[in-house]
Amino acid sequence: MSRTLRFDAVLIQAVIAGALSFAHLHDLAAAAGQDGWKAWAYPVSVDLLLVAAWRRMRKNGGNRDAWLWFAIALIASLGANVATAGLLDMNDVPDWLRILVAGWPALAFLGGTLLAHAPTPEPEPAPEPDLEPAAPDLVVERVPDPAPELPPAEPAAEEAPSTPQAAPEPVLPTPAASVPPALLDHARKIADAHHVQTGAPIDAATLRARLGIPAPLADSIALQLA
């Protein structure tokens, strides 16, 4: 209810102010020699230019032409209201005011035409949302292969003193070196991959190059993998 009353009060105030301004413009135009219907057309021309400039400013606040013509129409309206307040002899209007009133239609026509045909800035299109989420960067860390454990060095057997009377002992084959289980499992994986790639079992030389181990240890591992 209060909103309706407030709207009605503003509307009534606007009607009263517009009627007074309209009458002042009419009286000034009639005093400047524009009689008949021409005196009534001047207030309409001023108010229409004021409304057109205001609407252009609402659409584009940075339009300087709209601000310029709004100021011109506002000065014309305020000037007419002030001039008819007893500051000007309405029976003896000066010549410069007659020239301004007579030239107002051409000025108002120019302003209305420029405001009507001023380009309206197009709104910038909103950026399209990216529907596909960006794939996160995957960092693959390669776990280095465990270093093979070398067997501990066996202490060299003490050489027995040679006696000329004792018969020479027969040379026994060198026993196979002990291979750690972890190194054997790692060598088995390498041998399986070599067999898949080449179709042939891995030999001791290749196994030695892959693991970086001594030749006896590579031979012992090759025997156990055979």
Side-chain angles (χ1 to χ4, degrees), residues 1 11 14 16 28 38 66 72 92 104 145 148-149 172 187 197 201:
M1 184 65 180
L11 182 60
I16 293 175
L28 183 62
K38 293 181 290 185
I72 292 175
D92 186 13
W104 172 257
D145 297 334
E149 298 180 1
L172 300 178
Q197 294 178 358

Side-chain angles (χ1 to χ4, degrees), residues 105-203:
L107 185 64
F109 177 78
L110 176 62
T113 303
L114 293 177
L115 292 174
H117 295 282
T120 303
E122 298 180 358
E124 297 181 358
E128 298 181 359
D130 190 4
L131 301 180
E132 298 182 359
D137 297 336
L138 299 179
V139 179
V140 180
E141 297 183 358
R142 182 178 180 182
V143 180
D145 297 334
E149 298 180 1
L150 299 180
E154 297 181 356
E158 297 180 357
E159 298 181 357
S162 58
T163 55
Q165 295 82 7
E169 296 181 0
V171 179
L172 300 178
T174 304
S178 59
V179 181
L183 180 59
L184 184 60
D185 294 339
H186 184 61
R188 185 174 286 106
K189 294 179 181 179
I190 295 176
D192 294 340
H194 180 79
H195 186 271
V196 171
Q197 294 178 358
T198 62
I202 193 170
D203 54 353

Side-chain angles (χ1 to χ4, degrees), residues 64-80:
R64 296 182 179 180
D65 293 340
W67 284 96
L68 174 62
W69 290 108
F70 183 83
I72 292 175
L74 185 61
I75 291 173
S77 179
L78 290 176

Side-chain angles (χ1 to χ4, degrees), residues 20-103:
L20 291 175
S21 178
F22 193 91
H24 291 161
L25 286 168
H26 169 269
D27 295 343
L28 183 62
Q34 306 296 327
D35 54 352
W37 65 270
K38 293 181 290 185
W40 294 104
Y42 273 87
V44 178
S45 175
V46 174
D47 292 340
L48 285 181
L49 183 60
L50 194 66
V51 172
W54 176 78
R55 292 189 60 182
R56 179 59 61 180
M57 287 190 301
R58 288 287 303 271
K59 294 181 180 179
N60 185 10
N63 193 336
R64 296 182 179 180
D65 293 340
W67 284 96
L68 174 62
W69 290 108
F70 183 83
I72 292 175
L74 185 61
I75 291 173
S77 179
L78 290 176
N81 287 286
V82 173
T84 55
L87 301 179
L88 183 67
D89 186 5
M90 302 299 291
N91 296 323
D92 186 13
V93 176
D95 295 339
W96 61 266
L97 184 58
R98 293 177 182 271
I99 295 174
L100 288 179
V101 173

